[in-house]
Amino acid sequence: MNKTFSALAEPNRLHIVELLRDGPLTVGEIADRLELQQPQVSKHLRVLSDAELVEVQPSANKRIYNLQFQSFKELDGWLDSFRRMWEERFDRLDDYLQQMLEKEKKNQFDLED
C-alpha cells in the first residue's frame, strides 16, 4: 500500500493515472497531453509500473499503458474500511439530530397548549 500512495503522491503520476482511467495510451500520447518530455513520462510510468498501478503492452515500436485494476481494487478495499466507519458515524449523527428535532417539535407543541 505504501508503494501505491508514494507513486500517486506525485502530481504528474496522478495525472497519468487519471488519463489512463479513460483508456490505454502510448507514452507519446501521455507526454503530449501532459506537455512533458517523453523521457520524463517514461520515468513516471516506471514508478507506476513498479507500484503495480499500470501495465505495459508492447505493440510494434510503441508501448501502450493500461491501468492495472487489481491494485485499485486493493486500494478501494482499504478505503472501504474508512467509508464504513464514517457511514456509521454519520448514521449516529443523523439519529441524534432526528431525536433533537423530535424533542424540539414536542417542546413547541407543549408550549402551544
Side-chain angles (χ1 to χ4, degrees):
M1 196 66 62
N2 286 340
K3 276 182 148 181
T4 300
F5 286 124
S6 180
L8 294 174
E10 203 283 328
N12 287 318
R13 289 193 288 265
L14 184 59
H15 290 310
I16 290 170
V17 168
E18 290 169 342
L19 286 174
L20 292 174
R21 177 179 47 201
D22 297 330
L25 295 169
T26 65
V27 177
E29 291 169 326
I30 295 168
D32 289 344
R33 292 186 188 185
L34 294 180
E35 299 179 355
L36 296 172
Q37 299 295 318
Q38 193 165 340
Q40 190 178 9
V41 171
S42 293
K43 287 180 184 179
H44 288 307
L45 286 166
R46 191 173 312 113
V47 172
L48 291 169
S49 181
D50 289 346
E52 298 179 351
L53 294 169
V54 299
E55 58 189 1
V56 63
Q57 296 174 343
S59 175
N61 63 343
K62 295 182 180 181
R63 297 173 65 80
I64 301 171
Y65 284 85
N66 290 302
L67 291 180
Q68 195 168 339
F69 290 103
Q70 183 59 36
S71 294
F72 290 97
K73 287 179 184 177
E74 291 170 8
L75 179 60
D76 185 54
W78 182 80
L79 290 170
D80 191 50
S81 66
F82 291 94
R83 265 188 228 108
R84 285 192 307 267
M85 176 190 64
W86 283 109
E87 286 173 2
E88 290 171 8
R89 289 181 181 191
F90 285 133
D91 288 345
R92 287 196 310 263
L93 176 61
D94 187 50
D95 292 344
Y96 175 75
L97 293 174
Q98 288 298 326
Q99 290 172 1
M100 296 300 293
L101 184 61
E102 289 172 17
K103 284 182 183 178
E104 186 176 308
K105 285 181 181 178
K106 184 180 182 238
N107 287 340
Q108 286 180 349
F109 182 74
D110 288 345
L111 291 174
E112 291 175 358
D113 286 342

